[in-house]
């Protein structure tokens, strides 16, 4: 058997077909954002001039590194060729995101690590209009978090105070039709940043959907905060409808579907991946890559 691990995934060659696909995705993204200028504000390391060059077909001097940077941010197909299989958790997450956006709801959604939460959120944000996916981190303070939100929604905040940033966020979202803010890995937010959630809710109730997504730690953290009487936790729990919605576990059938979608059809390989994956799609992905790579090397050596 091939060990279920790979040391490093090599970068694929940036072909004309790949560039064409990225260009089409970029064009659609600019249309959803409303203008090249607004789109460029939300794409790190990609200027409006670069976008104009690509969309006008004058992209000969655009480096492969920049193409890949653009591809990653536009959530086009995985740069290693990975194909998404619609698992139960994936479909449930998309349903909840659509429900939250259309009805301007505030939801907390939890799921195990490796359940595919982030992939579903990225895809929904990429394909939707006025949807903003923000990855949270423990090192973000109030100011750096606000800067990240403003960048994602396309607002220039140079020189603004934290209070002015909050006002800018609320003003911009108020102008939009059914906006949705997705806070991925929300359990990593500090209390000071988490309180920002209350400000947004209070200012935009029934006008903006908000989704907090994380592992089950978010629920435990909120429940513990309420037991200890920590400021703001009861208020946050109330605004979330006093519950966290749990995504379904990744089933053996889901893992088999992921394998088959990505070219692994051998029953023996699928059975082994199911047995060793521990219902973690990250482990499934590594196993599929390892088997695929071994098969490619075998063909080349014949």
């Amino acid at each position: 058997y091939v060990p279920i691990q790979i040391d490093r995934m090599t970068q694929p060659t940036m072909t004309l077909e790949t560039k064409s696909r990225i260009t089409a995705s970029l064009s659609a993204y600019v249309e959803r954002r409303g203008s090249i200028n607004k789109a460029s504000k939300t794409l790190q390391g990609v200027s409006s001039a670069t976008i104009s060059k690509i969309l006008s077909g004058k992209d000969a001097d655009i480096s492969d590194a920049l193409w890949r940077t653009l591809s990653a941010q536009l959530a086009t197909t995985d740069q290693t060729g990975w194909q998404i299989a619609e698992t139960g958790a994936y479909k449930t997450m998309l349903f909840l995101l659509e429900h939250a956006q259309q009805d301007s709801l505030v939801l907390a959604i939890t799921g195990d690590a490796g359940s595919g939460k982030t992939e579903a959120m990225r895809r929904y944000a990429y394909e939707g209009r006025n949807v903003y996916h923000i990855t949270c981190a423990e090192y973000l303070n109030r100011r750096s978090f606000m800067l990240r939100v403003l960048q994602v929604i396309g607002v220039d905040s140079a020189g603004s105070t934290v209070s002015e940033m909050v006002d800018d966020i609320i003003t911009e979202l108020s102008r939009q039709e059914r906006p949705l803010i997705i806070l991925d890995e929300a359990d990593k937010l500090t209390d000071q940043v988490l309180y920002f959630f209350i400000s947004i809710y209070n200012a935009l109730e029934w006008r903006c959907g908000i989704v907090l997504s994380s592992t089950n730690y978010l629920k435990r953290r909120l429940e513990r905060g309420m037991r200890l009487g920590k400021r703001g936790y009861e208020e946050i729990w109330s605004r979330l409808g006093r519950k966290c919605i749990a995504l379904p576990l990744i089933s053996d059938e889901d893992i088999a579907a992921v394998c088959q979608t990505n070219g692994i059809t051998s029953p023996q390989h699928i059975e082994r991946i199911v047995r060793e994956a521990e219902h973690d799609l990250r482990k499934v992905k590594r196993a599929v890559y390892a088997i695929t790579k071994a098969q490619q090397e075998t063909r080349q050596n014949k």
Side-chain angles (χ1 to χ4, degrees):
Y1 285 119
V2 179
I4 296 188
Q5 62 180 9
I6 51 176
D7 296 328
R8 186 172 66 90
M9 299 174 196
T10 57
Q11 291 283 10
T13 302
M14 186 60 61
T15 63
L16 290 175
E17 181 183 357
T18 301
K19 291 180 180 180
S20 178
R21 185 173 61 247
I22 296 171
T23 299
S25 297
L26 178 60
S27 178
Y29 185 77
V30 168
E31 182 179 354
R32 287 195 298 274
R33 288 293 181 173
S35 70
I36 288 176
N37 188 45
K38 287 183 178 180
S40 69
K41 289 180 180 179
T42 66
L43 296 170
Q44 294 184 0
V46 184
S47 67
S48 57
T50 296
I51 296 175
S52 296
K53 281 184 179 181
I54 292 173
L55 296 183
S56 63
K58 302 175 181 178
D59 54 26
D61 62 340
I62 305 296
S63 68
D64 280 5
L66 186 51
W67 278 108
R68 292 189 179 100
T69 296
L70 191 54
S71 176
Q73 294 185 72
L74 290 173
T76 55
T77 57
D78 188 294
Q79 294 180 49
T80 55
W82 185 256
Q83 300 298 313
I84 296 173
E86 295 192 356
T87 64
Y90 183 91
K91 289 187 283 189
T92 300
M93 176 61 87
L94 291 185
F95 171 80
L96 292 171
L97 292 172
E98 182 177 6
H99 192 38
Q101 183 174 19
Q102 292 303 314
D103 297 329
S104 298
L105 300 177
V106 178
L107 304 175
I109 304 172
T110 61
D112 290 344
S115 63
K117 302 184 301 297
T118 296
E119 190 62 60
M121 289 183 285
R122 284 176 178 165
R123 181 54 56 92
Y124 187 83
Y126 168 67
E127 295 179 347
R129 185 182 294 273
N130 299 335
V131 183
Y132 307 105
H133 174 250
I134 299 156
T135 301
C136 305
E138 296 168 343
Y139 59 80
L140 294 175
N141 58 29
R142 284 192 304 169
R143 183 174 184 82
S144 58
F145 178 75
M146 299 300 172
L147 285 170
R148 182 168 292 191
V149 174
L150 286 163
Q151 183 200 15
V152 169
I153 66 176
V155 176
D156 186 2
S157 58
S160 299
T161 64
V162 169
S163 177
E164 289 169 338
M165 289 185 206
V166 174
D167 289 342
D168 288 343
I169 291 169
I170 292 171
T171 299
E172 177 61 27
L173 294 175
S174 296
R175 296 191 184 113
Q176 299 180 10
E177 181 179 2
R178 292 192 178 91
L180 176 66
I181 296 289
I182 303 171
L183 300 180
D184 193 2
E185 300 186 46
D187 57 304
K188 294 182 178 179
L189 293 176
T190 65
D191 284 354
Q192 288 298 317
V193 177
L194 197 56
Y195 296 151
F196 165 74
F197 161 80
I198 299 176
S199 300
I200 292 294
Y201 178 96
N202 291 341
L204 298 172
E205 186 176 7
W206 303 117
R207 289 183 292 159
C208 176
I210 304 174
V211 168
L212 279 65
S213 176
S214 83
T215 62
N216 294 324
Y217 178 73
L218 176 63
K219 181 180 179 181
R220 295 196 297 270
R221 175 183 170 185
L222 292 173
E223 290 175 339
R224 182 172 183 273
M226 287 186 294
R227 286 197 307 271
L228 296 175
K230 295 184 70 173
R231 182 175 70 86
Y233 274 68
E234 175 66 31
E235 199 172 353
I236 292 171
W237 189 240
S238 174
R239 281 153 174 73
L240 292 172
R242 297 188 176 278
K243 65 179 180 180
C244 291
I245 302 172
L247 294 175
L249 297 175
I250 296 299
S251 67
D252 292 353
E253 291 75 15
D254 287 332
I255 295 173
V258 171
C259 292
Q260 292 164 354
T261 300
N262 287 279
I264 304 299
T265 57
S266 164
Q268 291 81 8
H269 283 146
I270 293 174
E271 180 182 350
R272 177 172 176 249
I273 292 173
V274 168
R275 187 173 62 249
E276 299 184 7
E278 301 179 33
H279 303 286
D280 186 332
L281 292 183
R282 293 190 181 96
K283 293 191 71 174
V284 174
K285 189 172 186 178
R286 291 176 67 86
V288 169
Y289 277 135
I291 292 171
T292 301
K293 182 178 180 181
Q295 290 174 339
Q296 290 172 345
E297 291 176 349
T298 298
R299 287 194 296 268
Q300 290 171 358
N301 293 330
K302 285 184 178 181

